Amino acid sequence: MTSDPLLALRPWEAPEVTSWGRLPMNAVDRRDGALPLDGDWRFQLLSAPHAPVGGAWSTSRVPGVWTMQGTDDLPQYTNVRMPFPQYPPASPAANPTGVYEREVDVPADWAGRRVVLQVGAAESVLLVHVDGRPVGVSKDSHLAAEFDLTALVRPGTSATVRLTVVKWSDASHIEDQDQWWHGGITRSVLLYATDPLHLADVTVRARYSGDLRVDCRVRDTGGALPAGWYLTGDLDGRPLAQDTEFDRANAEDERVSDFLGEARLLTTVPEVRTWNAETPELYDLTVRLHRADGTVADTSRHRIGFRDVEIVGRDLLVNGERVFIRGVNRHDFHPLTGRTVSYDDMRADLVLLKRFGFNAVRTAHYPNDPTLYDLADELGFYVVDEADIESHDHAHETADDPRYLGAFVDRVSRMVLRDKNHPSVIIWSLGNESDYGANHDAAAGWVRRHDPTRPIQYEGAAKLGWADPELASDIACPMYAPLEDCVAHALSGEQTKPLIQCEYSHAMGNSNGTLADHWAAIEATPGLQGGFIWEFWDHGILQRVSDGRPAGRGGAGLYDNGVAAPGYRWAYGGDFGETIHDGAFIADGVVFPDRTPKPAMYEHREIAAPVRIESYRHEGVVLTNHQHFRGFDWLAAVWELSLADGRTLTAPAELPELCPGETAAVPLPFALPEDGGEAWLTLRVTTARDLPWAPRGTEVCVPQIQLRQADVRREPVAAGSVEVDGEGLLVHPLLTVAPALSLWRAPTDNDELGGMAGRWRSWGLDALVRKVVSVREDAGQVTVRSEYAGTTGVVRHRQVFTPVAGGVRVEEEAELPEAFDDVARVGTVFETVAGLDLLEWFGQGPWESYPDRRAGAPVGHHSLPVDELFTPYLRPQESGGRHGVRRFTLSAPDATGLAVVLDEPRQVCVTRYRAEDLTAATHHDELVPRPGCVVHLDAAHRGLGTASCGPDTFPSYRVAPGVHRWSWTLRVL
Ligand code: GAL
Ligand code: MG
């Protein structure tokens, strides 16, 4: 038996013990003036909490996880299943335990003050000792723990602080979030001092009306409160009034004792600048606690926003407006630190989200770093703040287990106590994927009493009945609900709660198909209000390929544009030698691990466009303001007219003055040329001035409308001949592989996990065997009939080659048997000689687009180097496609090359990789670019959908069996 009482408590296997010796959570920010204890600490990694400390010390960086800092305990990724077999509350005997130690010089001028240690976050159990004496215990890997050290340290001397962090515990079972498992201290550690007479908590209620109420709690660690203490406060310099009515009521009811002081400050701000995500107006609030003689004992500063949140009927209203929730789920993640994120990191996350039209964040699945909320207040985001509870693998066992009751209430209530003053937080979430039980209702009850100003949501409750008033969720917040179910619910007449999906549009790999369809339905259907895309990050950890270790902080700069430098790669589940893992399911974000946006981000940006082109009528172009609170004064715009003949005309645009929701027609800035063919009008909208999240000139959206259709012209046959070889394959000087039929794409994650790829393989589509049936020549025209045999069917294919001026027209027909229903693509693939490194095209772009993800890629004249067309999804897969391509050239620097004109807008893909190269690779670093180009022209291409977790693409985006026809001409430049 150990003599140490903290170890003797065995808190890692005692769910009833949520803390010991820990101070209550509060919303007083103590970072200012504190003594930071971040940096290198002495460190030992024990094999279990009871193993003796006494080996050699190394060092470990705080904040940081040891799993990323050179120990043999490496990151492990699991989704649902626990990494160890024990049932709650047990944890494995082999239990990595990090012992962190350092000396702390306690400032001499802290004599007589109350000294507090704050540990920002430690996973999963924290034990604190000072000079060998037990101080306290804390759990919840994503909230700070504070301990009063006043009695243990002597100002002017140094103390040894030891933080023991036990990796596995009863708490791991309720921290089973789908992410990497780590061990360590993930947020800053600091020491601060206050007067014994101090502000214990400050609660701010700032209403849309301009009414402000500040409730303060006051304590004195010396004992009873000294007589005569009082509070003052000011808001942007304007003094607040003491609520004497509150004082009188408190005194009469004998509610407050000598040991707990309460006071309330009030004001009403006339013509208040209210807070919302579009115009996040903040005020500076200062609260001061005075001794009787007027001197200030304590001060608390807050940036506050005036706003209301309420549910009226089935609408969630912010300041009375039914706002759309354009959200994303965000983890605290970093490819070099694992979980520790800096102010700059978080700011960069939110700035990027802002630039791509997001206005909401769900802090999946735990309270994020406190700085994130400051930034959300400042930059303008609606936050669903989620408690650190996910018991996915043992959900049912824990939700009603009374041993975990305290933990549930503790986690939810401490989150609320920490974050209640942030205007950005509009909803509290009880956690994620933890079934639904009495423990949730207990936590919900606490919140309803403590903070009646915000709704609660919990998916685990909502799924038992979207409209059921008894359940602990004020929002119907399903995950991955089929769109038709959402629409049907909204139309059913049964809806009672706002429907905002807590997760939808799973962003794994090449994904987010049908996002625009979702938003078309959301905007058209009262009762639907949006949702949170799953998720922001691809959690790839930068890994050295040579020894399989995380690069750690030394990897700074060893990546660019989403790609790891040679010798490195983005690791996903299984890459650290884990036997239990869930592979690439950890790479499911809209940004790469280095925050490079995936093409899906542009789709989102356009869907969220504040300016929309509704129509084009004789009186001009009809524009609508699609915001909730502001006009267009922050925006500038330019008109662009793209003509099929290659011309692009531009003209300055004058945005009309429109209130939210209003529409107006503006005159067309161009006389549409008589000639020029197909014509597209684009409005390039940018920021008109520098904003906190975007310098002036940052592109905001590019709404577009077609002004004139293409006229279909068929080129006349020219004299000449076409050469095919003995197999009936086209012989062409610029092609190294002749045009052949392709039905295969390197499966996307959606194709694999949704089961489509398995079907395609079982039909043999990845290895079709071609057999030429006949080759016929007739007056210069060659007709080649062939068959492509799979294992369960044969595709009949015909190519007709006709000489046309300067090249050859290829007319193709493929007849798919009924057995090949819903294939990846039907089209042509060929390969070019090396050196044709520039793609110029007229079609949708410039970024990657697919049939069901193309709302953000305007039609125009685009050009990109071939090497930049490919999107380096972590697990290689179909990528680089461009939708609606009418024609393109592939050229060398001397302008030689080839030109292709398609019969109608088609899906085209030009990369350095064959579909089989991508299919065979597991990581990007395994890919070897081919010298030439691999070119796909598709008559039909399957949508992307989101079937890796959630709905597949819609039937209209699937490829039907039967006859497909397409044609194209190939010319030499
Ligand atoms: C949800 C879950 C997320 C994540 C996602 C799939 O079920 O809440 O944490 O696992 O699925 O990536
Ligand atoms: Mg889960």
Side-chain angles (χ1 to χ4, degrees):
M1 233 4 237
T2 170
S3 57
D4 182 278
L6 301 188
L7 288 173
L9 198 56
R10 301 180 73 84
W12 52 90
E13 53 188 29
E16 307 85 345
V17 179
T18 56
S19 71
W20 183 82
R22 189 178 69 191
L23 293 170
M25 182 61 93
N26 62 78
V28 182
D29 187 346
R30 300 292 185 184
R31 285 174 284 188
D32 224 19
L35 184 69
L37 300 183
D38 290 348
D40 286 341
W41 288 49
R42 286 194 293 281
F43 180 73
Q44 279 187 43
L45 188 61
L46 311 180
S47 58
H50 277 295
V53 183
W57 291 98
S58 60
T59 59
S60 193
R61 170 105 165 239
V62 173
V65 289
W66 66 70
T67 33
M68 299 284 285
Q69 294 190 50
T71 71
D72 289 334
D73 184 30
L74 294 170
Q76 176 177 5
Y77 163 58
T78 66
N79 171 13
V80 177
R81 55 195 154 157
M82 289 296 290
F84 52 80
Q86 284 77 12
Y87 272 68
S91 49
N95 191 354
T97 299
V99 181
Y100 296 81
E101 224 180 62
R102 64 165 280 172
E103 272 62 59
V104 175
D105 294 325
V106 184
D109 61 1
W110 285 7
R113 291 173 71 76
R114 161 180 171 262
V115 178
V116 177
L117 173 74
Q118 184 187 83
V119 181
E123 53 195 83
S124 67
V125 183
L126 170 70
L127 279 54
V128 180
H129 294 83
V130 169
D131 291 332
R133 284 180 289 171
V135 175
V137 171
S138 181
K139 291 179 194 170
D140 190 334
S141 298
H142 302 278
L143 282 177
E146 292 191 339
F147 303 92
D148 190 334
L149 302 189
T150 315
L152 298 171
V153 296
R154 283 224 332 271
T157 69
S158 128
T160 302
V161 175
R162 173 182 288 189
L163 305 178
T164 304
V165 181
V166 184
K167 183 173 179 183
W168 305 123
S169 69
D170 54 275
S172 307
H173 293 287
I174 55 169
E175 295 183 0
D176 181 22
Q177 291 98 353
D178 174 8
Q179 60 173 345
W180 294 99
W181 294 97
H182 288 295
I185 298 171
T186 55
R187 295 184 192 147
S188 291
V189 179
L190 52 89
L191 200 66
Y192 67 83
T194 71
D195 196 273
L197 175 66
H198 65 279
L199 286 162
D201 201 5
V202 174
T203 303
V204 176
R205 300 252 162 98
R207 308 282 315 266
Y208 179 65
S209 59
D211 288 340
L212 172 65
R213 191 179 105 181
V214 184
D215 285 301
C216 305
R217 300 197 131 200
V218 175
R219 287 189 197 274
D220 193 319
T221 38
L225 289 163
W229 66 267
Y230 66 98
L231 289 171
T232 61
D234 65 69
L235 184 73
D236 277 3
R238 159 201 184 91
L240 308 184
Q242 182 102 13
D243 184 348
T244 47
E245 181 58 25
F246 176 83
D247 296 341
R248 197 182 50 75
N250 259 345
E252 277 176 10
D253 296 352
E254 292 181 16
R255 270 162 45 93
V256 282
S257 70
D258 290 348
F259 296 92
L260 172 65
E262 285 187 5
R264 176 176 289 176
L265 300 171
L266 296 173
T267 195
T268 298
V269 182
E271 290 172 44
V272 66
R273 290 173 279 112
T274 53
W275 185 98
N276 61 67
E278 289 172 13
T279 54
E281 297 282 355
L282 295 178
Y283 287 76
D284 285 315
L285 169 71
T286 306
V287 176
R288 282 179 220 89
L289 169 61
H290 300 262
R291 303 181 191 89
D293 64 3
T295 54
V296 174
D298 200 4
T299 305
S300 182
R301 294 200 170 77
H302 306 259
R303 301 266 286 155
I304 65 161
F306 289 79
R307 60 114 187 84
D308 286 348
V309 183
E310 60 193 325
I311 293 176
V312 177
R314 55 181 184 171
D315 296 329
L316 174 74
L317 306 181
V318 173
N319 299 341
E321 284 296 317
R322 176 178 170 264
V323 294
F324 286 121
I325 300 295
R326 305 181 185 278
V328 74
N329 282 277
R330 180 190 175 279
H331 274 280
D332 283 338
F333 167 78
H334 194 282
L336 304 183
T337 66
R339 216 146 12 241
T340 298
V341 287
S342 67
Y343 172 89
D344 289 344
D345 291 328
M346 286 178 269
R347 191 170 184 103
D349 293 356
L350 293 188
V351 159
L352 189 78
L353 286 169
K354 210 68 192 169
R355 289 190 192 175
F356 284 87
F358 289 87
N359 70 357
V361 170
R362 172 174 175 239
T363 67
H365 297 300
Y366 43 80
N368 284 186
D369 189 290
T371 298
L372 186 92
Y373 303 76
D374 299 337
L375 288 164
D377 294 344
E378 178 196 325
L379 296 170
F381 284 91
Y382 304 118
V383 173
V384 172
D385 202 4
E386 187 150 282
D388 185 13
I389 302 173
E390 175 164 342
S391 55
H392 209 161
D393 202 11
H394 298 293
H396 190 57
E397 292 104 292
T398 42
D400 281 299
D401 185 336
R403 292 172 299 178
Y404 277 95
L405 169 62
F408 276 56
V409 178
D410 189 63
R411 285 160 186 256
V412 173
S413 62
R414 294 181 77 236
M415 169 184 75
V416 172
L417 288 165
R418 187 190 75 163
D419 295 332
K420 63 196 169 195
N421 294 339
H422 288 283
S424 56
V425 175
I426 61 162
I427 296 169
W428 302 116
S429 163
L430 303 179
N432 187 56
E433 298 185 321
S434 304
D435 200 16
Y436 178 44
N439 294 344
H440 291 100
D441 280 343
W446 189 94
V447 179
R448 293 204 193 286
R449 169 56 63 113
H450 190 84
D451 179 24
T453 71
R454 293 175 176 94
I456 293 174
Q457 74 173 50
Y458 177 52
E459 184 268 342
K463 78 172 163 216
L464 301 180
W466 290 357
D468 188 338
E470 297 297 312
L471 303 169
S473 190
D474 303 326
I475 316 267
C477 52
M479 47 173 74
Y480 314 109
L483 180 60
E484 61 269 25
D485 292 3
C486 297
V487 173
H489 181 64
L491 299 179
S492 67
E494 310 279 307
Q495 187 182 3
T496 59
K497 305 178 182 184
L499 205 167
I500 302 169
Q501 294 218 51
C502 70
E503 295 175 25
Y504 81 110
S505 199
H506 196 249
M508 183 176 187
N510 192 356
S511 187
N512 304 98
T514 74
L515 191 61
D517 308 78
H518 273 74
W519 273 94
I522 291 167
E523 294 191 353
T525 313
L528 304 188
Q529 256 189 278
F532 296 81
I533 288 180
W534 186 267
E535 66 172 308
F536 182 60
W537 288 111
D538 263 1
H539 302 224
I541 290 179
L542 191 71
Q543 181 186 40
R544 264 192 308 273
V545 177
S546 57
D547 62 2
R549 295 265 171 174
R553 287 179 187 269
L558 290 171
Y559 41 75
D560 188 27
N561 270 324
V563 181
Y568 292 83
R569 66 176 183 177
W570 300 125
Y572 52 75
D575 290 341
F576 294 107
E578 318 105 281
T579 48
I580 303 175
H581 67 84
D582 288 296
F585 207 60
I586 191 69
D588 55 0
V590 287
V591 301
F592 284 95
D594 65 352
R595 209 182 284 106
T596 298
K598 291 185 181 175
M601 288 285 269
Y602 292 92
E603 185 81 352
H604 187 273
R605 190 181 77 172
E606 206 52 41
I607 289 166
V611 187
R612 311 281 174 89
I613 301 180
E614 300 296 335
S615 58
Y616 166 55
R617 302 201 213 109
H618 62 279
E619 68 269 33
V621 193
V622 180
L623 300 182
T624 304
N625 178 351
H626 258 261
Q627 303 169 96
H628 296 292
F629 297 103
R630 63 184 158 177
F632 288 155
D633 54 321
W634 62 288
L635 297 170
V638 172
W639 292 108
E640 202 175 272
L641 183 67
S642 304
L643 297 165
D645 67 3
R647 279 180 289 168
T648 304
L649 314 178
T650 58
E654 189 78 32
L655 290 176
E657 272 183 32
L658 289 179
C659 291
E662 279 184 357
T663 290
V666 298
L668 184 65
F670 306 93
L672 185 60
E674 294 285 313
D675 58 346
E678 188 181 354
W680 288 83
L681 181 70
T682 310
L683 189 63
R684 288 205 174 269
V685 182
T686 55
T687 50
R689 54 173 192 267
D690 288 346
L691 298 171
W693 51 270
R696 174 166 174 253
T698 303
E699 198 163 80
V700 171
C701 57
V702 279
Q704 186 174 59
I705 194 163
Q706 187 168 24
L707 298 188
R708 191 165 56 207
Q709 304 283 332
D711 38 329
V712 188
R713 252 184 263 135
R714 204 175 146 85
E715 284 184 70
V717 180
S721 64
V722 177
E723 192 188 337
V724 298
D725 68 10
E727 295 297 304
L729 295 168
L730 180 71
V731 177
H732 191 280
L734 292 179
L735 304 192
T736 55
V737 176
L741 179 72
S742 171
L743 303 186
W744 178 252
R745 71 180 178 198
T748 63
D749 292 309
N750 290 327
D751 294 340
E752 288 290 4
L753 296 171
M756 289 75 83
R759 281 201 297 281
W760 299 336
R761 283 194 185 94
S762 73
W763 303 340
L765 302 189
D766 53 338
L768 290 172
V769 179
R770 177 179 184 274
K771 189 179 87 192
V772 58
V773 176
S774 69
V775 180
R776 230 186 51 221
E777 206 189 316
D778 183 9
Q781 191 175 63
V782 182
T783 302
V784 179
R785 291 175 192 278
S786 52
E787 283 179 358
Y788 287 77
T791 45
T792 57
V794 173
V795 180
R796 280 208 290 272
H797 180 233
R798 190 185 70 199
Q799 284 176 321
V800 180
F801 300 104
T802 309
V804 292
V808 54
R809 179 165 69 228
V810 188
E811 284 156 294
E812 308 202 43
E813 183 180 295
E815 190 185 339
L816 272 61
E818 285 303 313
F820 291 174
D821 187 8
D822 190 14
V823 301
R825 61 159 39 115
V826 178
T828 309
V829 60
F830 60 80
E831 293 179 29
T832 75
V833 295
L836 309 183
D837 296 338
L838 181 70
L839 181 76
E840 292 174 275
W841 75 101
F842 180 51
Q844 294 197 245
W847 21 82
E848 181 189 272
S849 52
Y850 282 84
D852 62 351
R853 203 196 65 216
R854 60 191 174 87
V859 176
H861 300 285
H862 304 286
S863 104
L864 275 175
V866 170
D867 289 325
E868 290 175 26
L869 294 164
F870 184 71
T871 311
Y873 297 110
L874 263 59
R875 196 190 61 78
Q877 54 195 275
E878 162 66 28
S879 139
R882 299 296 187 279
H883 192 76
V885 176
R886 282 93 168 137
R887 59 159 196 266
F888 65 88
T889 62
L890 264 172
S891 60
D894 65 0
T896 60
L898 57 83
V900 169
V901 178
L902 293 138
D903 56 343
E904 50 181 88
R906 300 284 185 187
Q907 181 79 18
V908 167
C909 185
V910 180
T911 66
R912 302 274 184 214
Y913 309 106
R914 291 181 183 165
E916 70 229 45
D917 301 340
L918 299 171
T919 308
T922 65
H923 292 74
H924 191 257
D925 65 310
E926 294 159 22
L927 292 173
V928 183
R930 291 178 183 271
C933 298
V934 179
V935 180
H936 281 272
L937 322 173
D938 291 333
H941 194 104
R942 191 185 199 277
L944 300 167
T946 61
S948 55
C949 180
D952 192 3
T953 195
F954 298 146
S956 56
Y957 298 118
R958 293 186 196 157
V959 179
V963 176
H964 294 259
R965 292 194 187 87
W966 66 106
S967 76
W968 48 288
T969 40
L970 173 66
R971 288 196 175 78
V972 177
L973 286 175

